[in-house]
Amino acid sequence: RTEETLERNVQNERRASKQSGTRRTRAWACLMKDFLFHPPLVHFPIAFYFLELVLLMFWLGKKDAAYRRFALFVFRLGFLFMIAAAVTGYLDAGGRFPPPTPVRPHFYAALSVFGVYTLRALLWRFVTERQRFYRLTHVLGALVGNALVGFTAYLGGGLVFG
Protein backbone atom coordinates (compact mmCIF):
# COMPACT_ATOMS: atom_id res chain seq x y z
CA ARG A 1 0.00 0.00 0.00
CA THR A 2 2.76 2.43 0.79
CA GLU A 3 4.35 1.82 -2.61
CA GLU A 4 1.02 2.46 -4.36
CA THR A 5 0.54 5.70 -2.43
CA LEU A 6 4.08 6.76 -3.18
CA GLU A 7 3.62 6.02 -6.90
CA ARG A 8 0.34 7.97 -6.96
CA ASN A 9 1.99 10.95 -5.26
CA VAL A 10 4.86 10.93 -7.77
CA GLN A 11 2.37 10.80 -10.68
CA ASN A 12 0.32 13.63 -9.17
CA GLU A 13 3.44 15.75 -8.73
CA ARG A 14 4.44 15.13 -12.36
CA ARG A 15 0.97 16.13 -13.57
CA ALA A 16 1.00 19.26 -11.42
CA SER A 17 4.44 20.32 -12.65
CA LYS A 18 3.39 19.76 -16.28
CA GLN A 19 0.27 21.84 -15.76
CA SER A 20 2.11 24.68 -14.02
CA GLY A 21 4.75 24.58 -16.76
CA THR A 22 1.99 24.85 -19.34
CA ARG A 23 0.47 27.72 -17.38
CA ARG A 24 3.81 29.50 -17.27
CA THR A 25 4.28 28.98 -21.02
CA ARG A 26 0.80 30.30 -21.72
CA ALA A 27 1.37 33.30 -19.46
CA TRP A 28 4.67 34.05 -21.22
CA ALA A 29 3.01 33.71 -24.63
CA CYS A 30 0.24 36.07 -23.53
CA LEU A 31 2.76 38.66 -22.40
CA MET A 32 4.87 38.32 -25.53
CA LYS A 33 2.01 38.44 -28.03
CA ASP A 34 1.55 42.12 -27.20
CA PHE A 35 5.28 42.89 -27.18
CA LEU A 36 6.65 44.38 -30.39
CA PHE A 37 10.27 43.53 -31.18
CA HIS A 38 10.74 46.07 -33.98
CA PRO A 39 10.75 49.33 -31.95
CA PRO A 40 13.68 48.48 -29.67
CA LEU A 41 15.73 46.96 -32.51
CA VAL A 42 15.21 49.69 -35.08
CA HIS A 43 17.21 52.28 -33.16
CA PHE A 44 20.48 50.38 -33.61
CA PRO A 45 20.78 50.71 -37.41
CA ILE A 46 19.75 54.37 -37.16
CA ALA A 47 22.54 55.07 -34.67
CA PHE A 48 25.13 52.98 -36.53
CA TYR A 49 24.36 54.57 -39.89
CA PHE A 50 24.56 58.07 -38.44
CA LEU A 51 27.87 57.24 -36.74
CA GLU A 52 29.13 55.89 -40.06
CA LEU A 53 28.27 59.21 -41.72
CA VAL A 54 30.14 61.15 -39.02
CA LEU A 55 33.19 58.89 -39.39
CA LEU A 56 33.13 59.27 -43.17
CA MET A 57 33.05 63.05 -42.80
CA PHE A 58 36.14 62.87 -40.56
CA TRP A 59 37.77 60.54 -43.09
CA LEU A 60 36.99 63.00 -45.89
CA GLY A 61 38.51 65.87 -43.92
CA LYS A 62 41.47 64.25 -42.19
CA LYS A 63 42.24 61.50 -44.75
CA ASP A 64 43.11 59.06 -41.97
CA ALA A 65 42.43 55.41 -42.95
CA ALA A 66 41.42 54.53 -39.37
CA TYR A 67 38.20 56.52 -39.85
CA ARG A 68 37.42 54.56 -43.01
CA ARG A 69 38.06 51.20 -41.33
CA PHE A 70 35.89 52.08 -38.34
CA ALA A 71 33.18 53.45 -40.66
CA LEU A 72 33.15 50.12 -42.51
CA PHE A 73 32.89 48.22 -39.22
CA VAL A 74 30.00 50.42 -38.05
CA PHE A 75 28.31 50.10 -41.46
CA ARG A 76 28.40 46.31 -41.17
CA LEU A 77 26.85 46.45 -37.70
CA GLY A 78 24.15 48.79 -38.99
CA PHE A 79 23.45 46.49 -41.93
CA LEU A 80 23.03 43.44 -39.67
CA PHE A 81 20.72 45.32 -37.32
CA MET A 82 18.79 46.71 -40.30
CA ILE A 83 18.03 43.16 -41.45
CA ALA A 84 16.90 42.22 -37.92
CA ALA A 85 14.76 45.36 -37.70
CA ALA A 86 13.20 44.67 -41.11
CA VAL A 87 12.31 41.08 -40.22
CA THR A 88 10.85 42.03 -36.84
CA GLY A 89 8.96 44.94 -38.40
CA TYR A 90 7.43 42.62 -40.96
CA LEU A 91 6.44 40.13 -38.25
CA ASP A 92 5.14 42.83 -35.89
CA ALA A 93 2.95 44.15 -38.72
CA GLY A 94 1.29 40.76 -39.03
CA GLY A 95 3.62 39.04 -41.49
CA ARG A 96 1.41 39.75 -44.49
CA PHE A 97 2.25 41.13 -47.88
CA PRO A 98 1.16 43.72 -48.67
CA PRO A 99 1.21 45.01 -45.10
CA PRO A 100 -1.86 46.63 -43.50
CA THR A 101 -2.75 50.00 -45.03
CA PRO A 102 -1.47 52.29 -42.23
CA VAL A 103 1.93 50.56 -42.33
CA ARG A 104 2.44 50.61 -46.12
CA PRO A 105 4.26 53.96 -46.50
CA HIS A 106 6.67 53.03 -43.70
CA PHE A 107 7.15 49.55 -45.20
CA TYR A 108 7.94 50.84 -48.69
CA ALA A 109 10.25 53.53 -47.31
CA ALA A 110 12.06 50.81 -45.34
CA LEU A 111 12.40 48.78 -48.55
CA SER A 112 14.02 51.78 -50.21
CA VAL A 113 16.42 52.10 -47.25
CA PHE A 114 17.26 48.42 -47.65
CA GLY A 115 17.91 48.96 -51.37
CA VAL A 116 20.17 51.98 -50.84
CA TYR A 117 22.19 50.29 -48.11
CA THR A 118 22.50 47.09 -50.13
CA LEU A 119 23.96 49.16 -52.97
CA ARG A 120 26.26 50.80 -50.45
CA ALA A 121 27.35 47.37 -49.18
CA LEU A 122 28.27 46.46 -52.76
CA LEU A 123 30.18 49.75 -53.00
CA TRP A 124 32.12 48.97 -49.85
CA ARG A 125 32.89 45.49 -51.19
CA PHE A 126 33.79 46.07 -54.83
CA VAL A 127 34.92 49.68 -55.32
CA THR A 128 38.59 50.26 -54.60
CA GLU A 129 40.26 53.33 -53.16
CA ARG A 130 42.13 53.88 -56.41
CA GLN A 131 38.92 54.65 -58.28
CA ARG A 132 37.92 58.23 -58.91
CA PHE A 133 35.48 59.87 -56.45
CA TYR A 134 35.85 56.95 -54.02
CA ARG A 135 35.60 59.10 -50.89
CA LEU A 136 32.90 61.36 -52.23
CA THR A 137 30.79 58.37 -53.35
CA HIS A 138 30.84 56.91 -49.84
CA VAL A 139 29.98 60.21 -48.17
CA LEU A 140 27.16 61.03 -50.62
CA GLY A 141 25.80 57.48 -50.30
CA ALA A 142 25.78 57.85 -46.52
CA LEU A 143 24.03 61.23 -46.78
CA VAL A 144 21.31 59.83 -49.06
CA GLY A 145 20.95 56.73 -46.88
CA ASN A 146 20.63 58.76 -43.68
CA ALA A 147 18.06 61.06 -45.29
CA LEU A 148 15.99 58.00 -46.25
CA VAL A 149 16.43 56.53 -42.78
CA GLY A 150 15.19 59.81 -41.28
CA PHE A 151 12.13 59.84 -43.53
CA THR A 152 11.38 56.18 -42.73
CA ALA A 153 11.78 56.91 -39.01
CA TYR A 154 9.39 59.85 -39.34
CA LEU A 155 6.78 57.56 -40.90
CA GLY A 156 7.37 54.92 -38.21
CA GLY A 157 7.03 57.53 -35.48
CA GLY A 158 3.71 58.55 -37.02
CA LEU A 159 2.51 54.96 -36.59
CA VAL A 160 3.49 54.93 -32.93
CA PHE A 161 2.61 58.44 -31.83
CA GLY A 162 -0.13 59.25 -34.32
Side-chain angles (χ1 to χ4, degrees), residues 2 23 25 46 50 64-65 76-77 113 117 127 152:
T2 322
R23 273 191 229 118
T25 306
I46 294 169
F50 184 73
D64 184 355
R76 287 176 176 162
L77 286 174
V113 167
Y117 278 96
V127 176
T152 305

Side-chain angles (χ1 to χ4, degrees), residues 51-105:
L51 177 58
E52 183 220 6
L53 174 63
V54 170
L55 290 167
L56 288 174
M57 298 297 269
F58 277 117
W59 176 54
L60 189 64
K62 296 187 179 206
K63 296 175 180 44
D64 184 355
Y67 289 113
R68 184 191 62 78
R69 286 191 305 271
F70 191 44
L72 176 58
F73 174 73
V74 169
F75 173 83
R76 287 176 176 162
L77 286 174
F79 198 80
L80 289 173
F81 273 101
M82 178 185 66
I83 292 169
V87 169
T88 56
Y90 177 72
L91 295 174
D92 286 354
R96 296 182 313 230
F97 188 82
T101 305
V103 181
R104 280 187 194 159

Side-chain angles (χ1 to χ4, degrees), residues 53 56-57 120 135-146:
L53 174 63
L56 288 174
M57 298 297 269
R120 294 201 57 238
R135 291 175 193 251
L136 193 59
T137 304
H138 278 295
V139 172
L140 288 176
L143 279 169
V144 168
N146 273 277

Side-chain angles (χ1 to χ4, degrees), residues 20-38:
S20 73
T22 304
R23 273 191 229 118
R24 272 191 299 248
T25 306
R26 281 191 203 134
W28 181 253
C30 266
L31 283 173
M32 296 312 287
K33 83 174 171 71
D34 292 331
F35 182 77
L36 300 175
F37 288 92
H38 178 70

